[in-house]
Structures are given as structure tokens and as C-alpha cells.
Amino acid sequence: MTAAKRGVSILLLIALLGSHLPMVAQEGGGSDGGGENSETVTPRAPYGIGLEPEVSPFLRDLRRFEIIAFGTLPFTLFFTNVGYDVGRYGYYGFTEGFGSDITRQYRPLLFGDRGYDNDEKTGILLTAVGVSMILATVDLLIESNRRNRADEP
């Protein structure tokens, strides 16, 4: 891994970890080191607990889309890998015969080195990202349809 890639990876890790830390602010203008007279503002209650929404519906939908897209990515990547393995094995099995050495080379593996070239790896990753985006879009459409039905009298 080159130094530039390592630096970008570290910055990305810091940004991801730092975005989930709770924030507590002091009332008043100064920072007196947390003595007796300093009061802290408690964090706000989570969304959806009987309070007025603090963000616009568009931003909530965007956040939900992001969570679902990134949350489904490991699963879609795993199932894309398995599907590609089985498909490649079936293709070479039917063209070369299932007992040949070529077919044994392409047998499906859940873990281990599969011997993919860069084009195959890129195709698998892009397929998994695309399926994750499709799932997040379908969820967005379902959620907006449900919200529109709830708004109708």
C-alpha cells in the first residue's frame, strides 16, 4: 500500500469514527475547565420520540438511503461473489465437462483465493454496489409511498 493510499485510508477512518461521537456543548461563552459553575447541555432526544422533527424530510430520506445502501453492501457483495462463483463453475462445467481439470479449477469457494483478475473483481464490486443502490432506491420509493398514503385523509 502506498503512502498516499495509507494517508487517505487513515483520514477516512478518522472521519467515519469522528462523525459518530456524541457532542456536548457548554452554556455560556467561556471555557472555564469544567468547574462548579459550568453547565453542560444534554444531547437532544433521538428522532421519532414524540418530538417535532429537527431535520427536513428530504435529509431524513437521504440518511435512510445512505444507511440502507451501505448496510446492504456486505451482503450483496457476499451473494454476488457466491453467484459469480456458481455461474462460472456452471459455465465451465457445461462447456468443458464437469469432470475436467478446468472445471475443478473453477469450483465455487466461499473463502480462499478464487483467482479473479482485476476485471472480474471490478465487475463483482460494481454489481454489488448497483444491487445495494437498487435496494436502497426501492426502500425509498416504498417509504415515500407509505408517507404519502398517511398524509391523505
Side-chain angles (χ1 to χ4, degrees), residues 3 10-11 19-20 33 43 46-47 56 64 76 83 99 104 123 127 129-130 132 143 147:
I10 290 172
L11 286 176
S19 66
H20 296 291
Y47 302 119
S56 70
R64 183 180 173 103
T76 58
R104 285 190 202 106
T127 302
V129 168
S132 292
E143 185 66 22
R147 189 178 324 118

Side-chain angles (χ1 to χ4, degrees), residues 14-34:
I14 290 170
L16 287 173
L17 294 177
S19 66
H20 296 291
L21 296 176
M23 300 281 229
V24 178
Q26 288 184 346
E27 278 188 19
S31 61
D32 55 357

